[in-house]
């Protein structure tokens, strides 16, 4: 209720007219807004000349607004990854928005911590709500007020760009706060926190069954290389290009059980514990009764270290921090201990997930962004652009596909306003040996300008040299022959 009253006051301040500060950086320090404290103002010259305003909302939600001297009249808000905990701005990372003349903003979502540490949520429901969705909306309102005061006019258009947790924030904005942004980019969204936590935990159970011994995972690097080579041998060339990239991983019919050891352990097979760890990744988490709790991961990035299985799911001793072998361990135990059970000593050993669905209902309602009802956002002309890498080892693209499918099933006309692009061979948010370089901001601008939803995009390779065509789901890029690094050699069907 307190947040709602403060937001009404802030909106009233916006509508009643704030004092124009005529582009003066120093004058920003005198700006007064309800429940907002300006903590620092500076004029900076790089990457372009701009004013930088730091502040707090409610004494807890830290934020920064960047205001370029040569403003293009638009606003772009950026999301935050992981558990957040420091002011971050994914709009700058994905679109270099400040250099392009956008006023932009970021937040710490209301707490200070490293991005893999969820202990701040222990006993602090307000912090969980701020992280879940409240802080992005509050900072958006404040940033728009700062922009109007500084430039003496409102922003013409507002964009949001986020990936991972930032992608979840993007969907929260479209679902909960439909008036905040005109075009939203949601990359690899962590839209189902209770489901992905269950996946992380069950995978980690198989990978590190003894929580007192986190030095060595069940799967070795050699196991993962064996698995990857077997997958590629069976399915790589099916898309017409033998390049180490699966164009459509779900169509690959490789069975990991074909690698099961028959006469004891060796370098050329997988033991029962190793196969159980592999199947936990591909099959997704289940209760002890076999009831599914989340989707599994498609084939991809099995032998990749940074941003692949090696860092997210398998790991090494202290691989993601002191006492944290993997990101899956950090996020999974963090969500269970500090969000779901409010018990820092909670252990996944012998946990059977039989009550997970009921126990995690509170975080489902606060953190999840899986509501297919986008009517309010679409009614006001909002556009939602999603993307997901097929080789993502952090968040399964299957969950994003399921969400977009539920949006389309609920309202078929939503295809005019909601588009998903899947990226073969691309890891979590970026990277990989697939076509990963896309001008997402340009696509958002073009959609807003023409009001025509994108059906095709071009993506370049991080290594340079050519690119490929991306197709709006459910269409796929079909290779027609010729240069496999030329978008013109592919057709969306």
């Amino acid at each position: 209720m307190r947040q709602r009253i403060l937001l009404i006051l802030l909106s009233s301040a916006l509508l009643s007219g704030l004092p124009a500060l005529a582009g003066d950086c120093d004058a920003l320090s005198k700006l007064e807004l309800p429940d907002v404290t300006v903590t620092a103002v500076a004029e900076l010259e790089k990457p372009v000349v701009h004013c930088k305003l730091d502040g707090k909302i409610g004494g807890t939600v830290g934020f920064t607004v960047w205001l370029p001297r040569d403003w293009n009249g638009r606003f772009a808000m950026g999301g935050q990854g992981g558990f957040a905990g420091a002011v971050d701005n994914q709009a700058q990372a994905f679109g270099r928005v400040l250099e392009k003349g956008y006023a932009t903003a970021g937040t710490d979502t209301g707490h200070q911590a490293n991005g893999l540490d969820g202990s701040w949520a222990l006993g602090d429901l307000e912090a969980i709500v701020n992280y879940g969705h409240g802080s992005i909306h509050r900072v958006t309102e404040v940033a728009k007020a700062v922009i109007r005061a500084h430039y003496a006019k409102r922003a013409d258009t507002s964009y949001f760009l986020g990936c991972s947790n930032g992608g979840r924030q993007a969907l929260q904005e479209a679902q909960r706060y439909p008036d905040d942004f005109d075009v939203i980019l949601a990359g690899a969204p962590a839209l189902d926190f209770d489901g992905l936590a269950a996946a992380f935990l069950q995978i980690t159970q198989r990978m590190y069954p003894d929580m007192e011994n986190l030095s060595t995972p069940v799967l070795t690097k050699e196991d993962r290389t064996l698995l990857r080579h077997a997958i590629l041998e069976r399915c790589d060339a099916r898309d017409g290009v033998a390049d180490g990239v699966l164009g459509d991983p779900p169509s690959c019919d490789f069975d990991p059980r074909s690698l099961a050891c028959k006469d004891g352990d060796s370098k050329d097979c997988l033991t029962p514990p190793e196969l159980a760890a592999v199947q936990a990744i591909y099959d997704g988490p289940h209760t002890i009764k076999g009831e599914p709790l989340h989707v599994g991961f498609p084939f991809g990035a099995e032998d990749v270290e940074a941003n692949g299985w090696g860092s997210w799911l398998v790991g090494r001793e202290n691989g993601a921090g002191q006492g944290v072998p993997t990101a899956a361990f950090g996020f999974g135990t963090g969500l269970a201990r500090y969000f779901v059970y409010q018990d820092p000593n909670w252990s996944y050993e012998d946990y059977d997930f039989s009550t997970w669905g009921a126990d995690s209902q509170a975080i489902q309602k606060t953190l999840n962004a899986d509501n297919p009802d986008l009517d309010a956002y679409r009614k006001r002309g909002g556009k939602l652009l999603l993307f997901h890498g097929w080789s993502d080892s952090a968040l399964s693209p299957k969950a994003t596909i399921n969400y977009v499918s539920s949006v389309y099933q609920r309202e078929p006309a939503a295809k005019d306003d909601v588009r998903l692009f899947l990226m073969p061979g691309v890891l979590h948010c970026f990277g990989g040996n697939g076509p990963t370089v896309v001008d997402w901001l340009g696509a958002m601008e073009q959609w807003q300008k023409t009001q025509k939803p994108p059906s095709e995009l071009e993506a370049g390779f991080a290594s340079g040299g050519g690119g490929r065509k991306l197709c709006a789901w459910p269409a796929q890029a079909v290779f027609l022959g010729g240069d496999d690094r030329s978008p013109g050699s592919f057709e969306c069907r």
Side-chain angles (χ1 to χ4, degrees):
M1 178 61 72
R2 176 174 177 270
Q3 285 188 7
R4 179 175 176 81
I5 293 172
L6 291 171
L7 288 173
I8 292 173
L9 289 172
L10 180 56
S11 297
S12 297
L14 262 171
L15 294 172
S16 62
L18 292 165
L21 304 179
D24 183 355
C25 288
D26 291 336
L28 284 169
S29 62
K30 302 180 179 66
L31 183 63
E32 294 184 1
L33 294 169
D35 209 33
V36 175
T37 301
V38 176
T39 57
V41 174
E43 183 172 5
L44 304 175
E45 295 184 356
K46 294 182 179 180
V48 294
V49 178
H50 68 282
C51 302
K52 178 176 178 284
L53 181 148
D54 299 319
K56 292 276 188 181
I57 303 174
T60 58
V61 178
F63 71 93
T64 297
V65 182
W66 294 265
L67 303 155
R69 177 182 294 175
D70 297 324
W71 184 43
N72 65 10
R74 302 172 184 173
F75 169 56
M77 178 81 176
Q80 295 74 47
F83 283 135
V87 173
D88 189 16
N89 183 350
Q90 292 178 336
Q92 184 63 8
F94 274 96
R96 301 185 69 83
V97 293
L98 187 59
E99 292 92 316
K100 296 174 182 177
Y102 282 83
T104 184
T107 179
D108 60 11
T109 74
H111 64 273
Q112 294 289 310
N114 75 61
L116 205 59
D117 177 12
S119 61
W120 51 267
L122 186 65
D124 194 339
L125 297 181
E126 184 176 3
I128 293 175
V129 172
N130 275 328
Y131 173 73
H133 56 84
S135 64
I136 290 291
H137 178 57
R138 298 174 78 187
V139 172
T140 298
E141 293 278 4
V142 169
K144 288 181 178 181
V146 172
I147 289 168
R148 186 183 177 199
H150 186 64
Y151 297 112
K153 70 183 295 289
R154 301 173 190 267
D156 299 326
T157 310
S158 296
Y159 298 135
F160 185 94
L161 296 86
C163 191
S164 192
N165 180 62
R168 181 190 64 84
Q169 293 170 326
L171 294 183
Q172 290 277 28
E173 280 294 310
Q175 295 165 15
R176 292 178 183 263
Y177 308 106
D179 293 328
D180 281 359
F181 297 100
D182 301 298
V183 187
I184 291 175
L185 176 70
L191 57 91
D192 177 3
F193 254 46
D194 60 300
L196 68 91
F200 283 158
L201 288 168
Q202 202 157 101
I203 290 168
T204 305
Q205 273 187 330
R206 306 294 188 271
M207 211 67 67
Y208 294 92
D210 181 359
M211 293 190 74
E212 298 300 319
N213 180 13
L214 302 175
S215 60
T216 306
V218 166
L219 283 180
T220 66
K221 171 66 173 177
E222 290 74 22
D223 294 332
R224 294 189 285 120
T225 300
L226 171 70
L227 181 62
R228 182 62 179 169
H229 286 174
I231 293 169
L232 292 178
E233 182 178 2
R234 184 168 184 84
C235 298
D236 184 14
R238 292 188 179 183
D239 57 7
V241 184
D243 58 353
V245 175
L246 301 182
D248 179 35
S251 68
C252 179
D253 59 355
F254 174 76
D255 186 350
R257 292 172 296 184
S258 64
L259 298 176
C261 295
K262 296 180 175 59
D263 299 312
D265 194 10
S266 78
K267 293 183 179 180
D268 299 321
C269 65
L270 299 177
T271 64
E274 291 165 350
L275 268 179
V278 168
Q279 291 299 149
I281 295 172
Y282 293 140
D283 293 347
H286 293 74
T287 67
I288 193 170
K289 295 181 179 180
E291 301 162 332
L293 295 170
H294 194 50
V295 297
F297 287 88
F299 297 127
E302 289 82 0
D303 61 346
V304 176
E305 297 304 312
N307 206 19
W309 276 32
S311 61
W312 279 101
L313 306 176
V314 179
R316 64 185 189 282
E317 187 172 15
N318 301 321
Q322 187 62 38
V324 183
T326 65
F329 179 96
F331 286 123
T333 58
L335 283 164
R337 288 172 171 171
Y338 305 117
F339 289 76
V340 176
Y341 293 109
Q342 293 284 304
D343 176 6
N345 297 312
W346 181 88
S347 169
Y348 60 65
E349 290 184 28
D350 300 322
Y351 182 67
D352 63 13
F353 292 89
S354 59
T355 63
W356 179 258
D359 295 342
S360 63
Q361 280 189 1
I363 68 165
Q364 292 174 28
K365 295 178 180 178
T366 305
L367 302 183
N368 285 9
D370 53 3
N371 183 357
D373 183 354
L374 298 176
D375 289 355
Y377 182 62
R378 294 180 53 244
K379 184 177 181 179
R380 64 168 297 272
K383 312 299 181 187
L384 176 60
L385 180 62
L386 302 98
F387 73 87
H388 211 131
W390 266 125
S391 293
D392 194 327
S393 302
L395 302 171
S396 175
K398 293 181 180 180
T400 302
I401 292 171
N402 287 348
Y403 173 70
V404 174
S405 178
S406 70
V407 171
Y408 290 173
Q409 287 177 0
R410 182 184 176 279
E411 177 50 74
K415 292 179 181 179
D416 294 335
D417 307 308
V418 180
R419 289 294 168 100
L420 166 64
F421 288 85
L422 298 170
M423 308 174 73
V426 173
L427 304 174
H428 184 53
C429 292
F430 58 86
N433 58 355
T436 183
V437 182
V438 178
D439 180 7
W440 294 115
L441 181 63
M444 297 167 74
E445 292 173 331
Q446 184 69 10
W447 195 354
Q448 177 69 10
K449 178 181 178 180
T450 66
Q451 294 296 300
K452 182 179 179 180
S455 57
E456 299 179 2
L457 295 174
E458 291 189 4
F461 292 89
S463 58
R468 288 198 181 163
K469 185 174 292 185
L470 301 180
C471 306
W473 181 83
Q476 296 183 16
V478 176
F479 183 54
L480 304 176
D483 182 1
D484 63 19
R485 287 205 167 209
S486 170
S489 298
F490 295 82
E491 180 178 85
C492 291
R493 296 179 185 172

